[in-house]
């Protein structure tokens, strides 16, 4: 069967158009929220704190703050994107259209990931206004940015299928993802924790994402970059398996 690029593109363009209609919520709001973190923790508190691993505190938290916005927005964009057609009933029109599950997935997840990558780059540019930093490995930085956006957009897609109410769309991001991100080394290195808590932190998957992303900036990390990339790819594979199971069984897609 020939791949329906037009069908996937239509879904992608519709989702990107929704971002333009909700620009304040999709882009401006998370940028402002992250800017406040830069002002409080980077510019204000960072000037009175020592560096970590040879990096000033204000610069050290830049990758963590970008990752914080990236994870939450990837999940939010993808989960709402697929949940709204379920809520309005138009999901059945999409499922009956001449587009495959892969094309549906590519349209929704591709748009959500594109929004997140764009947001991450805007926050990166905004951070330059408050702190000085360098990107030691720009190719790896872009690779982690794209992989993380795609992975958590897939995760958000799964949440959007699972949710049967708008409140459940925020349940996992607010109660699980955001706390894990704050406890995953966004504002500190896990090496400063007591040995027991260092070991406990290694069970937090977000630690590997932030650590790998920070390595791309400064060449320092809490865990090796190979392990960080491996864990990212493992989570990506798990999300792809979850989506495959959903489409195979029709879980919460078919009446």
């Amino acid at each position: 069967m020939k791949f329906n690029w037009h069908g996937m593109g239509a879904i992608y363009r519709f989702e990107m158009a929704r971002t333009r209609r909700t620009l304040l919520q999709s882009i401006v709001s998370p940028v402002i929220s992250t800017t406040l973190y830069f002002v409080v923790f980077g510019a204000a508190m960072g000037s009175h704190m020592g560096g970590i691993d040879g990096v000033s505190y204000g610069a050290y938290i830049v990758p963590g703050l970008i990752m914080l916005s990236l994870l939450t927005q990837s999940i939010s964009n993808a989960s709402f994107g697929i949940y709204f057609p379920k809520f309005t009933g138009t999901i059945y029109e999409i499922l009956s259209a001449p587009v495959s599950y892969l094309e549906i997935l590519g349209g929704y997840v591709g748009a959500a990931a594109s929004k997140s990558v764009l947001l991450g780059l805007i926050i990166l540019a905004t951070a330059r206004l408050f702190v000085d930093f360098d990107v030691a490995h720009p190719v790896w930085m872009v690779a982690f940015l794209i992989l993380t956006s795609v992975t958590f957009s897939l995760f958000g897609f799964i949440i959007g299928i699972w949710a049967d109410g708008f409140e459940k769309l925020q349940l996992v991001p607010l109660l699980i993802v955001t706390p894990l991100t704050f406890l995953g080394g966004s504002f500190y290195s896990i090496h400063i924790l007591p040995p027991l808590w260092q070991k406990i932190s290694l069970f937090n998957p977000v630690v590997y994402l932030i650590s790998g992303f920070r390595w791309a900036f400064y060449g320092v990390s809490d865990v090796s970059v190979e392990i960080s990339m491996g864990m990212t790819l493992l989570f990506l594979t798990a999300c792809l398996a979850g989506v495959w199971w959903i489409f195979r069984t029709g879980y919460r897609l078919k009446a």
Side-chain angles (χ1 to χ4, degrees):
M1 182 179 177
K2 187 177 180 181
F3 194 86
N4 189 347
W5 292 101
H6 180 75
M8 186 183 74
I11 297 173
Y12 179 90
R13 289 191 297 272
F14 178 82
E15 287 299 302
M16 294 303 291
R18 182 166 60 83
T19 299
R20 292 192 293 271
R21 293 194 300 269
T22 59
L23 193 62
L24 289 176
Q25 179 183 353
S26 301
I27 301 295
V28 177
S29 178
V31 169
I32 291 177
S33 299
T34 307
T35 299
L36 292 177
Y37 282 114
F38 286 131
V39 172
V40 175
F41 290 97
M45 293 180 59
S47 61
H48 300 285
M49 299 179 64
I52 301 177
D53 293 331
V55 182
S56 68
Y57 184 73
Y60 188 84
I61 65 174
V62 168
L65 290 177
I66 294 175
M67 194 61 66
L68 174 63
S69 295
L70 205 67
L71 301 188
T72 54
Q73 290 302 311
S74 295
I75 293 174
S76 176
N77 289 329
S79 60
F80 184 83
I82 191 60
Y83 175 77
F84 194 71
K86 287 177 52 186
F87 177 74
T88 59
T90 55
I91 187 67
Y92 302 111
E93 297 178 9
I94 297 174
L95 293 174
S96 61
V99 288
S100 67
Y101 291 150
L102 181 61
E103 292 152 4
I104 293 173
L105 183 68
Y108 283 109
V109 172
S114 296
K115 299 173 194 176
S116 298
V117 170
L118 175 62
L119 177 63
L121 294 175
I122 292 174
I123 293 175
L124 182 65
T126 304
R128 284 280 188 186
L129 302 176
F130 301 95
V131 294
D132 292 325
F133 61 89
D134 296 314
V135 181
H137 308 283
V139 175
W140 281 100
M141 187 272 289
V142 173
F144 271 107
L145 191 69
I146 294 175
L147 275 175
T148 303
S149 297
V150 172
T151 299
F152 278 81
S153 293
L154 285 166
F155 187 48
F157 187 88
I158 294 172
I159 293 174
I161 297 294
W162 164 77
D164 54 9
F166 281 101
E167 66 280 355
K168 284 190 176 181
L169 292 179
Q170 299 298 323
L171 188 65
V172 174
L174 288 178
L175 298 183
I176 298 178
V177 176
T178 299
L180 287 179
T181 305
F182 276 103
L183 297 174
S186 295
F187 298 96
Y188 59 88
S189 168
I190 65 172
H191 291 154
I192 68 175
L193 299 174
L196 176 61
W197 284 103
Q198 288 186 37
K199 294 178 181 178
I200 293 175
S201 295
L202 293 178
F203 289 96
N204 181 353
V206 180
V207 166
Y208 302 94
L209 300 175
I210 295 177
S211 180
F213 197 51
R214 183 170 285 133
W215 175 88
F217 278 75
Y218 312 119
V220 299
S221 60
D222 293 326
V223 296
S224 70
V225 65
E226 293 82 6
I227 295 177
S228 295
M229 180 60 72
M231 292 297 293
T232 304
L233 293 175
L234 180 63
F235 191 37
L236 174 63
T237 303
C239 289
L240 286 171
V243 171
W244 173 82
W245 178 82
I246 286 173
F247 283 131
R248 181 177 179 271
T249 61
Y251 174 74
R252 296 200 172 181
L253 285 174
K254 301 177 181 178

